[in-house]
């Protein structure tokens, strides 16, 4: 990722052909990872990883500030099916010290819409107990989402790693403000739409997010509709 930024983003910022603006330009660079402290390890190993984050991350970001005097932040997409109170306590403490955030990441298989809803609601409650997740202007808990194993909306050809063809609607109904799963190539779960920010309409069939309506200033009614979910894709290629 860093090499890609060096090859594409930095030369673009320095280019004399870059469009000029009379107003300040804010740039957001989001690197969305699957944060899994239990990956191929046990509780002791997970806590050891958290201690390393707690020690190294604040030190590494300390020298850097943007024009608003803010340090870099990290968004931890934590797999809610791997909930552990001690690990989440450590993660919440790190977020309080650095201004970072936690969002929802879920591996699941063979679910129905109802069982998926139960898992998401339980995961939200678990994180809320530690002071995590955000609220919207109505005081409702909201969250960003990454689908473990990439099979968003039952998109794997075998039907594995999901089971819920109306997953987009379940996510929206439980407070998901945007999905950040894509890209997933070379996995067969890769959506046909690439390099895009768009609204995908939930349908009874799998892979509802293969197509959608591009985000625009005038698309507020689409954004707020219960059958549409915001899809924020990373670049499939520069």
């Amino acid at each position: 990722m860093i090499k890609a930024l060096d090859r594409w983003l930095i030369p673009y910022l320095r280019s004399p052909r870059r469009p000029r603006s009379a107003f300040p330009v804010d740039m957001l660079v989001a690197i969305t990872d699957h944060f899994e402290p239990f990956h191929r390890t046990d509780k002791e190993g997970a806590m050891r990883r958290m201690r390393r984050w707690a020690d190294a991350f604040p030190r590494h970001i300390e020298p850097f500030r943007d024009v608003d005097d803010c340090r870099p932040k990290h968004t931890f997409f934590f797999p809610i099916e791997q909930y552990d109170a001690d690990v989440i306590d450590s993660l919440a403490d790190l977020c309080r010290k650095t201004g970072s955030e936690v969002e929802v990441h879920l591996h699941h298989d063979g679910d129905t819409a109802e069982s998926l809803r139960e898992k998401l609601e339980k995961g939200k409650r678990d994180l809320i107990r530690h002071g995590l997740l955000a609220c919207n202007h109505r005081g409702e808990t909201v969250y960003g989402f990454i689908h473990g194993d990439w099979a968003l909306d039952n998109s794997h050809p075998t039907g594995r790693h999901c089971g819920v063809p109306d997953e987009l609607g379940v996510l929206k109904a439980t407070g998901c403000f945007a999905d950040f799963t894509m890209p997933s190539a070379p996995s067969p779960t890769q959506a046909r739409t690439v390099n895009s920010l768009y609204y995908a309409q939930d349908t009874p069939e799998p892979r509802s997010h293969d197509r959608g309506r591009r985000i625009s200033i005038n698309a507020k009614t689409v954004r707020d509709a219960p059958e549409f979910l915001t899809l924020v894709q990373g670049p499939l290629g520069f």
Side-chain angles (χ1 to χ4, degrees):
M1 181 66 184
I2 299 302
K3 291 181 179 179
L5 290 175
D6 285 342
R7 290 196 305 266
W8 176 81
L9 182 59
I10 303 305
Y12 169 78
L13 293 174
R14 293 173 176 167
S15 171
R17 297 186 298 276
R18 179 170 60 89
R20 300 298 175 180
S21 171
F23 303 97
V25 175
D26 288 327
M27 176 175 294
L28 303 179
V29 178
I31 302 175
T32 307
D33 68 348
H34 293 212
F35 187 73
E36 302 184 34
F38 282 97
H39 184 63
R40 296 180 180 176
T41 191
D42 55 11
K43 172 72 172 284
E44 182 179 351
M47 292 302 297
R48 186 164 55 248
R49 288 169 173 171
M50 293 309 306
R51 288 191 293 271
R52 184 178 179 187
W53 268 92
D55 173 65
F57 183 56
R59 287 191 291 104
H60 286 315
I61 65 175
E62 179 57 35
F64 303 101
R65 296 288 193 279
D66 65 11
V67 293
D68 298 312
D69 201 36
C70 294
R71 294 174 300 180
K73 300 174 177 64
H74 191 88
T75 300
F76 299 90
F77 282 81
F78 187 87
I80 55 175
E81 80 280 0
Q82 299 176 19
Y83 172 78
D84 180 275
D86 294 328
V87 170
I88 297 296
D89 270 340
S90 177
L91 187 55
D93 184 60
L94 179 61
C95 288
R96 284 190 291 269
K97 290 178 179 177
T98 62
S100 298
E101 299 175 327
V102 170
E103 302 293 354
V104 173
H105 171 196
L106 175 66
H107 304 85
H108 70 110
D109 194 10
D111 270 314
T112 63
E114 186 58 35
S115 62
L116 172 60
R117 181 187 293 268
E118 291 174 359
K119 290 178 180 180
L120 291 170
E121 293 292 356
K122 179 184 182 301
K124 286 165 55 182
R125 292 193 299 270
D126 288 340
L127 296 177
I128 289 169
R129 283 200 303 273
H130 297 266
L132 301 171
L133 299 184
C135 291
N136 62 17
H137 63 285
R138 293 185 293 269
E140 301 163 336
T141 300
V142 293
Y143 63 94
F145 183 77
I146 286 179
H147 198 297
D149 301 308
W150 303 303
L152 180 66
D153 208 55
N154 210 29
S155 55
H156 199 283
T158 65
R160 292 295 311 280
H161 311 305
C162 185
V164 186
D166 52 345
E167 185 166 42
L168 300 191
V170 176
L171 290 171
K172 185 71 175 283
T174 54
C176 179
F177 62 82
D179 173 85
F180 297 82
T181 302
M182 294 291 113
S184 62
S187 167
T189 60
Q190 172 62 45
R192 289 187 174 92
T193 298
V194 298
N195 298 349
S196 298
L197 308 178
Y198 63 106
Y199 304 108
Q201 184 174 14
D202 191 36
T203 67
E205 295 76 33
R207 305 184 70 99
S208 305
H209 57 297
D210 263 351
R211 296 282 187 268
R213 295 181 58 176
R214 287 186 179 272
I215 287 178
S216 69
I217 294 173
N218 299 320
K220 184 177 185 299
T221 55
V222 177
R223 179 195 70 198
D224 294 339
E227 70 272 22
F228 281 91
L229 181 67
T230 302
L231 273 290
V232 178
Q233 296 186 332
L236 185 59
F238 286 98

